[in-house]
């Protein structure tokens, strides 16, 4: 059987919108208890909850209920939200990978288009790109490099595994899109034939 | 058209009457509410209530209000008229053929009053319960349960390499080459067809008139040009055309000289 | 020593900013428990807190912690009752709760007056009353029911817990007037028959 005063103090600490100290609790009880008495009862309450899913904790003389830190994972549940990397982000990532360490201005010079700040942020959020210090040139721009997580995600042992430009060309990855299209249609050969005829 | 006065006088507020009747009339929500209040004044169970006495009270209440020149809303007057009818029907000797009988009407009224009273009591008991925020309290600032969405970015090595390919391509000097397409012009087709018509004497299919070494798009172009050329020569009366039906092969023969021109 | 699962469920119910049902708790635990298992543990937790200054209560299948009503005087501070209901609104709320689902015309038939637009709005804004589809009769009127928030606010475990609902039903006071009338007339006829016999 829990004593009425103890119940009252417990309820007060539970319903309060801020942590309370012993004096505040004593005042709310009508001022017949000393803060010392209150403190003793609070200790009893805290002991009763110890080891449960509710804790009564003291912070600078003020008391409040909270849930134990080791259960935080139950209260804050993480869910995956898979997203496809945008074309622009893939380009920036590739430039960083091929040219690292590289500054944002250098990325833009290579891409030939302005790069929005969000694009690099996305790559850093994905943990594929990380800052790698500053380049010792006027303005000391931040430079970026790829990470181990990048290598891991793309199945690369090292950056040296990235195919060279010649390999890309051989794989057709350097062909202009419209040229590749005509090739697929087989018309190029015909032109040659026609000319020969 | 009459203009609305911009600055019209507001009618002076009616002098406050120290009249409980008026105040009461306003505090009721319609005739049924007033009837229930009067019924409760009888201080008996609604099952035993005297409907006749209740009707009397209601009618005198309304007539008093009207004597005091109080405004009585229409629905109160409608109820008064109906109750006056009920009263006379209850007092007159019973007509067994009357349907519904006044007793039945009285019973219905009684049932309605019972139901309203029951809900009014229920509302009072509901409001008297231990209510959250008044009698019982929740945690003021709970931590809350959160579902956090963690974005997982995805891209394949192919995405990466093809993106780089596009970047490289963009940065390379661009050279546009316009490829010459193989065509057979109408002039060439006319020339060729005329020449061939001199050689072939009998009916021959259009495709037989084409150069044998044409194939692919060039052949398609030659067929189109030769067809138009054939039509032109036919128009000039220099060739005869024959076809068995739609999409059947088209046959050509040089027109017999002398008959044409 | 309180078991880990019990601690976890207790922390969840304590930290949540709304009442949780057994299914929600089971989902959050990772789906390895059935709602029935969870319910049993919740009962254990509720029993452990019984008689203390914090109670775990069930409202419409959802559970939440609250302070006991007998301590209201200590906890009630100079706060206005935020949910002061007009008499009309209280009556409409009672009619919806005891007759649900109920149409506006049915509410008006009982009260004998038109329901002003604001009255139902107030109850819906408080989230105590919600539309519950349409009645399949000519005109397809909207019908209304009470919500879990209603049960929570008024401290009702379930709709069966409505004060006096059994007595009202037994007395036929929740039946429509027409039905009650026919029954009453039937009894009258029986009495007459009896007299004639």
């Amino acid at each position: 059987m829990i004593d009425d005063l103890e119940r009252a103090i417990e309820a007060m600490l539970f319903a309060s919108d801020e942590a309370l100290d012993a004096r505040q609790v004593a005042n709310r009880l009508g001022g017949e208890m000393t803060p010392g008495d209150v403190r003793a009862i609070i200790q009893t309450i805290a002991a009763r909850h110890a080891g449960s899913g509710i804790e009564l904790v003291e912070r600078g003389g003020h008391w409040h209920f909270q849930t134990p830190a080791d259960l935080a994972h139950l209260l804050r549940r993480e869910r995956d939200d898979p997203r496809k990397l945008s074309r622009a982000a893939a380009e920036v990532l590739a430039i960083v990978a091929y040219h690292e360490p590289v500054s944002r201005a250098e990325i833009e010079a290579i891409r030939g288009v302005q790069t929005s700040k969000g694009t690099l942020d996305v790559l850093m959020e994905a943990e594929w790109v990380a800052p790698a210090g500053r380049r010792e040139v006027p303005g000391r721009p931040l430079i970026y490099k790829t990470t181990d997580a990048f290598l891991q995600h793309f199945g690369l042992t090292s950056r040296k595994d990235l195919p060279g430009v010649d390999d890309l060309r051989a794989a057709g990855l350097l062909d202009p899109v419209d040229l590749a299209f005509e090739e697929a249609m087989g018309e190029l050969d015909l032109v040659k034939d026609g000319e020969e005829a | 058209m009459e203009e609305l006065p911009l600055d019209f006088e507001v009618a002076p507020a009616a002098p406050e009457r120290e009249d409980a009747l008026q105040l009461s009339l306003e505090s009721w929500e319609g005739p049924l509410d007033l009837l229930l209040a009067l019924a409760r004044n009888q201080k008996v169970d609604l099952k035993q209530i005297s409907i006749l006495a209740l009707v009397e009270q209601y009618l005198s209440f309304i007539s008093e209000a009207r004597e005091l020149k109080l405004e009585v809303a229409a629905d109160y007057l409608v109820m008064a008229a109906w109750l006056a009818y009920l009263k006379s029907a209850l007092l007159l000797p019973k007509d067994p053929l009357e349907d519904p009988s006044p007793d039945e009407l009285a019973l219905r009224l009684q049932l309605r009053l019972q139901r309203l009273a029951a809900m009014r009591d229920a509302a009072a008991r509901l409001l008297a319960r231990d209510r959250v925020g008044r009698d019982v309290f929740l945690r003021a600032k709970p931590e809350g349960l959160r579902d956090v969405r963690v974005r997982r970015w995805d891209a394949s090595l192919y995405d990466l390499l093809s993106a780089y390919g596009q970047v490289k391509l963009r940065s390379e000097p661009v050279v546009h080459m316009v490829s010459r397409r193989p065509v057979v012009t109408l002039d060439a087709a006319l020339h060729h067809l005329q020449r061939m018509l001199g050689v072939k004497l009998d009916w021959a299919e259009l495709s037989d008139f084409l150069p044998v070494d044409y194939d692919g798009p060039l052949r398609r172009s030659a067929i189109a040009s030769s067809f138009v050329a054939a039509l032109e020569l036919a128009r000039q009366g220099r060739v005869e055309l024959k076809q068995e039906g739609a999409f059947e092969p088209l046959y050509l023969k040089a027109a017999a000289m002398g008959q044409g021109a």
Side-chain angles (χ1 to χ4, degrees), chain A, chain B:
Chain A
M1 193 59 197
I2 300 164
D3 148 281
D4 265 354
L5 213 48
E6 185 179 327
R7 286 178 75 230
I9 294 172
E10 186 180 19
M12 229 177 251
L13 291 168
F14 169 85
S16 174
D17 53 4
E18 52 185 8
L20 300 175
D21 64 19
R23 179 182 310 276
Q24 288 168 313
V25 172
N27 283 345
R28 287 190 199 185
L29 284 170
E32 286 172 21
M33 308 258 304
T34 68
D37 298 338
V38 168
R39 217 167 284 125
I41 296 175
I42 291 179
Q43 304 283 7
T44 310
I45 300 170
R48 172 153 54 80
H49 287 285
S52 80
I54 304 172
E55 281 177 354
L56 184 55
V57 294
E58 183 187 358
R59 296 277 181 270
H62 290 67
W63 295 80
H64 74 271
F65 277 109
Q66 65 176 33
T67 49
D70 67 301
L71 297 174
H73 64 282
L74 287 169
L75 313 183
R76 187 176 179 281
R77 188 171 48 173
E78 296 195 345
R79 284 192 173 175
D80 275 2
D81 181 15
R83 301 256 186 114
K84 179 90 181 141
L85 202 62
S86 73
R87 180 90 199 171
E91 282 186 21
V92 172
L93 179 60
I95 292 168
V96 176
Y98 275 90
H99 299 267
E100 76 180 39
V102 67
S103 73
R104 184 163 155 179
E106 289 158 357
I107 293 170
E108 291 186 351
I110 296 169
R111 275 192 80 207
V113 278
Q114 281 224 328
T115 302
S116 77
K117 194 175 164 331
T119 309
L120 263 170
D121 287 350
V122 161
L123 296 173
M124 289 200 276
E125 186 189 302
E127 298 184 337
W128 291 337
V129 166
R134 294 180 180 277
R135 196 177 299 300
E136 291 307 331
V137 296
R140 303 189 68 241
L142 262 177
I143 48 179
Y144 301 90
K145 62 173 175 59
T146 52
T147 62
D148 288 346
F150 162 81
L151 293 177
Q152 204 177 340
H153 181 92
F154 291 95
L156 302 166
T157 316
S158 80
R159 282 207 317 112
K160 293 189 194 107
D161 284 0
L162 282 171
V165 172
D166 288 341
D167 299 325
L168 294 181
R169 197 187 311 280
L173 287 168
L174 272 178
D175 292 331
V177 170
D178 52 352
L179 213 64
F181 177 75
E182 292 216 342
E183 210 159 350
M185 299 300 286
E187 289 193 1
L188 259 138
D189 296 332
L190 287 172
V191 173
K192 285 176 200 154
D193 292 350
E195 275 167 356
E196 279 162 16
Chain B
M1 199 174 148
E2 235 179 285
E3 265 186 63
L4 285 172
L6 287 173
D7 190 10
F8 56 89
E9 251 178 70
V10 178
E16 293 249 352
R17 282 173 183 271
E18 294 293 322
D19 190 357
L21 206 59
Q22 183 191 15
L23 291 174
S24 305
L25 205 50
E26 279 175 355
S27 68
W28 275 302
E29 274 200 76
L32 203 62
D33 191 18
L34 171 54
L35 269 169
L36 183 57
L38 294 172
R40 292 224 152 139
N41 278 348
Q42 290 191 19
K43 295 202 168 65
V44 290
D45 187 324
L46 281 178
K47 283 180 194 156
Q48 269 96 52
I49 196 144
S50 159
I51 289 292
L52 197 55
L54 184 60
V55 169
E56 295 269 18
Q57 284 171 41
Y58 184 93
L59 292 177
S60 72
F61 195 102
I62 295 297
S63 73
E64 266 180 71
R66 302 188 81 181
E67 273 166 31
L68 288 167
K69 295 201 167 52
L70 300 179
E71 236 179 80
V72 178
D75 48 347
Y76 287 87
L77 298 179
V78 171
M79 177 66 93
W82 186 79
L83 288 176
Y85 160 77
L86 178 62
K87 177 184 161 188
S88 62
L90 284 170
L91 291 176
L92 287 172
K94 299 228 185 318
D95 175 358
L97 294 180
E98 199 170 8
D99 187 47
S101 77
D103 286 334
E104 286 174 12
L105 293 175
L107 174 61
R108 273 183 179 278
L109 181 60
Q110 192 178 356
L111 291 171
R112 287 190 72 190
L113 288 172
Q114 279 175 19
R115 268 151 193 75
L116 179 59
M119 283 302 105
R120 190 155 292 171
D121 293 345
R125 292 170 73 178
L126 212 48
L127 294 190
R129 289 188 62 84
D130 292 332
R131 291 167 61 188
V132 171
R134 191 186 70 176
D135 308 294
V136 302
F137 298 86
L138 310 177
R139 280 186 85 193
K141 284 182 183 161
E143 291 91 344
L145 301 179
R146 302 270 171 274
D147 277 341
V148 186
R149 290 197 161 271
V150 182
R151 270 187 290 184
R152 287 258 184 271
W153 291 100
D154 195 26
S156 67
L157 187 60
Y158 175 79
D159 295 333
L160 189 69
L161 299 180
S162 69
Y164 192 64
Q166 289 305 305
V167 171
K168 283 312 252 184
L169 203 66
R170 262 206 315 266
S171 57
E172 277 180 354
V174 180
V175 180
H176 285 289
M177 298 218 312
V178 179
S179 54
R180 201 170 54 84
R181 288 172 187 277
V183 290
V184 175
T185 63
L186 180 57
D187 274 348
L190 264 173
H191 182 75
H192 183 75
L193 204 57
Q194 277 176 300
R195 225 178 34 171
M196 292 294 288
L197 280 169
V199 179
K200 292 192 196 273
L201 297 174
D202 202 356
W203 290 104
E205 214 181 313
L206 180 63
S207 56
D208 294 341
F209 290 85
L210 304 180
V212 285
D213 54 352
Y214 283 13
D215 56 5
L218 192 61
R219 184 177 173 80
R220 288 205 293 277
S221 171
I223 291 173
S225 311
S226 300
F227 173 64
V228 177
L231 292 178
E232 174 60 21
L233 292 174
R235 192 182 65 82
Q236 293 175 12
R238 296 162 68 183
V239 70
E240 286 178 35
L241 301 179
K242 181 178 83 177
Q243 192 179 24
E244 301 291 326
F247 304 111
E248 293 293 313
L250 183 65
Y251 291 93
L252 288 80
K253 192 175 80 167
M257 286 303 172
Q259 284 186 11

